[in-house]
Amino acid sequence: MLVGAGNRRHGTAKAALLAASLTALTALTGCSEAANEGAKPPAPVTASATAREATAESGGNIGAADSACKLPATFDIAKDWTAEAVTDPPRQGPVALVCEVDAKPAGHIGFLRVWTAGPGTADARAVLEAFVTADKNTSKARYSTFQAGPLAGVEVRYAYQSQFDDAAKTERALAVTTPRGPVVVHLGGMDDAEHEAMLPAFELVKRTLKG
């Protein structure tokens, strides 16, 4: 009988120890889960934001008389992009196309196109609005301002859809006015993905513009 009682006491002690261990483990798990629930996931970064933060390496400067395109302003173009003057320039609104900067050597499908006009009294916003509205395939234009040294610029982002496009795509343009006339720089692209990939080159123009 005493042996049996001893076994019962031993079994009870083991059961109590097991219960205490399970309680401690549950408490630790609960703390870990609470900590994980309290942690917030990092905010997503959009492709556009990432592209704008990227820095395009300069491949040279255009706009001066001895460069590929003589312009009323100068700015840097991205590495491997190639500039060429337009000899028979078409017009869009108040400006004419005078220079094309091709992205294909850098692995993209698209252009930076530079449009200019002679000296006048129109400000950058008026020039840019007239440029955009002259193309009937544009919509949803959103304008903003920026500063490039002493130059006060205006930028626009809009949707473009022609009869040959399945869906509208995003395009951008900027304008500044100088004593020698306004300058409009337009960025298109085959589609939105190409447009986003070329944004660092567009931002490089904005950062390096000089009248």
Side-chain angles (χ1 to χ4, degrees):
M1 294 297 292
L2 290 176
V3 173
N7 287 340
R8 284 196 299 273
R9 285 195 299 272
H10 185 63
T12 301
K14 288 178 65 177
L17 181 59
L18 179 60
S21 298
L22 289 173
T23 300
L25 180 60
T26 300
L28 288 173
T29 303
C31 291
S32 176
E33 290 176 350
N36 288 335
E37 289 175 358
K40 294 182 179 180
V45 178
T46 64
S48 181
T50 301
R52 283 184 172 273
E53 290 171 1
T55 301
E57 184 179 350
S58 174
N61 187 272
I62 64 169
D66 59 350
S67 68
C69 299
K70 182 180 178 180
L71 307 168
T74 65
F75 55 82
D76 287 5
I77 61 174
K79 183 180 179 181
D80 295 329
W81 291 47
T82 57
E84 183 177 357
V86 177
T87 55
D88 187 16
R91 295 191 67 85
Q92 183 169 320
V95 289
L97 177 62
V98 296
C99 184
E100 287 188 328
V101 187
D102 192 354
K104 285 195 292 294
H108 303 295
I109 302 176
F111 292 87
L112 279 170
R113 290 187 167 96
V114 189
W115 307 68
T116 66
T121 58
D123 63 16
R125 174 67 179 254
V127 170
L128 194 55
E129 286 183 347
F131 172 79
V132 173
T133 57
D135 189 339
K136 303 304 180 183
N137 297 311
T138 64
S139 62
K140 301 179 181 178
R142 291 183 292 173
Y143 294 86
S144 59
T145 60
F146 69 93
Q147 196 73 28
L151 295 176
V154 179
E155 179 182 354
V156 63
R157 172 179 174 172
Y158 58 90
Y160 174 87
Q161 184 172 9
S162 73
Q163 59 180 331
F164 306 108
D165 295 322
D166 294 330
K169 57 184 181 179
T170 301
E171 298 196 354
R172 282 176 170 81
L174 62 83
V176 293
T177 54
T178 77
R180 293 186 292 162
V183 178
V184 174
V185 182
H186 168 263
L187 176 67
M190 182 181 68
D191 52 30
D192 278 357
E194 284 288 355
H195 182 81
E196 294 289 331
M198 294 187 293
L199 272 182
F202 186 74
E203 294 297 315
L204 178 64
V205 172
K206 285 171 61 178
R207 290 196 301 270
T208 57
L209 261 171
K210 295 179 182 178

